[in-house]
């Protein structure tokens, strides 16, 4: 019974709430992969963040298309736009995260700076990604907007 209440609640939430819920899943997947690759396998910052985001991106596209934005956008068009937004957001957010963390005092250990860079980048990435997906990738047509208002 509680599962049905939650399902009904989520059905009527706005896209930002659903995006945040999907984002928690994506962040958990992507961030744990990033930190594992960087700290356990000792792979580079850029490889780790790129691969971790890539894995989260696949999950993100599927969940955001069906659950968050309830889009009927053509798969080929949606995937192309989605990955353009992902790459732009990734480059901007993680470059900014690395720059901010790099400005920490020299006494902070390099591995800590990289972990801080990942966390800062993740915050910027989430905000930029929502904007790009909502207004570019899964943008509703006028018909979709009218139908969403009826639900």
């Amino acid at each position: 019974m509680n599962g049905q209440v939650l399902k009904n609640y989520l059905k009527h939430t706005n896209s930002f709430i659903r995006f945040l819920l999907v984002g928690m899943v994506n962040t958990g997947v992507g961030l744990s992969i990033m930190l594992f690759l960087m700290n356990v396998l000792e792979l580079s910052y850029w490889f780790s963040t790129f691969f971790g985001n890539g894995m989260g991106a696949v999950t993100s596209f599927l969940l955001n298309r069906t659950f968050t934005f309830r889009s009927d956008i053509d798969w080929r068009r949606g995937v192309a736009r989605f990955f353009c937004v992902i790459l732009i957001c990734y480059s901007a957010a993680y470059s900014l995260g690395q720059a901010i963390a790099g400005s920490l005092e020299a006494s902070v250990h390099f591995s800590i700076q990289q972990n801080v860079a990942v966390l800062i980048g993740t915050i910027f990435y989430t905000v930029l990604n929502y904007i790009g997906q909502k207004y570019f990738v899964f943008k509703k047509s006028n018909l979709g907007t009218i139908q969403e208002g009826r639900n």
Side-chain angles (χ1 to χ4, degrees):
M1 184 163 167
N2 287 337
Q4 187 62 35
V5 171
L6 179 62
K7 184 178 178 181
N8 285 336
Y9 173 75
L10 292 175
K11 184 177 180 179
H12 297 289
T13 58
N14 69 32
S15 65
F16 186 69
I17 299 296
R18 291 189 306 268
F19 184 82
L20 291 176
L21 292 171
V22 168
M24 286 190 285
V25 172
N26 296 338
T27 299
V29 169
L31 194 55
S32 49
I33 290 171
M34 284 180 222
L35 295 174
F36 176 80
L37 293 174
M38 220 168 50
N39 295 312
V40 176
L41 299 183
E42 298 181 356
L43 298 175
S44 75
Y45 171 83
W46 287 110
F47 178 82
S48 300
T49 58
F50 186 81
F51 189 78
N53 265 313
M55 298 309 290
V58 171
T59 303
S60 179
F61 178 80
L62 296 173
L63 291 176
N64 282 322
R65 183 179 185 273
T66 58
F67 175 68
T68 304
F69 300 110
R70 299 179 182 136
S71 176
D72 60 356
I73 190 169
D74 177 68
W75 281 89
R76 288 170 289 187
R77 183 177 182 202
V79 166
R81 286 181 173 206
F82 180 83
F83 282 103
C84 284
V85 167
I86 293 294
L87 288 173
I88 291 168
C89 293
Y90 166 77
S91 298
Y94 288 99
S95 294
L96 186 57
Q98 191 175 45
I100 292 169
S103 68
L104 295 174
E105 292 187 28
S107 63
V108 175
H109 192 271
F110 183 69
S111 65
I112 293 173
Q113 280 184 340
Q114 285 190 316
N115 288 323
V116 169
V118 167
L119 296 175
I120 292 169
T122 299
I123 293 167
F124 284 117
Y125 179 83
T126 301
V127 173
L128 294 173
N129 191 27
Y130 175 76
I131 293 167
Q133 287 192 39
K134 181 171 177 75
Y135 296 106
F136 182 66
V137 178
F138 300 113
K139 182 178 178 182
K140 296 251 188 220
S141 65
N142 287 337
L143 179 60
T145 305
I146 292 168
Q147 289 175 346
E148 184 175 90
R150 290 182 188 161
N151 292 332

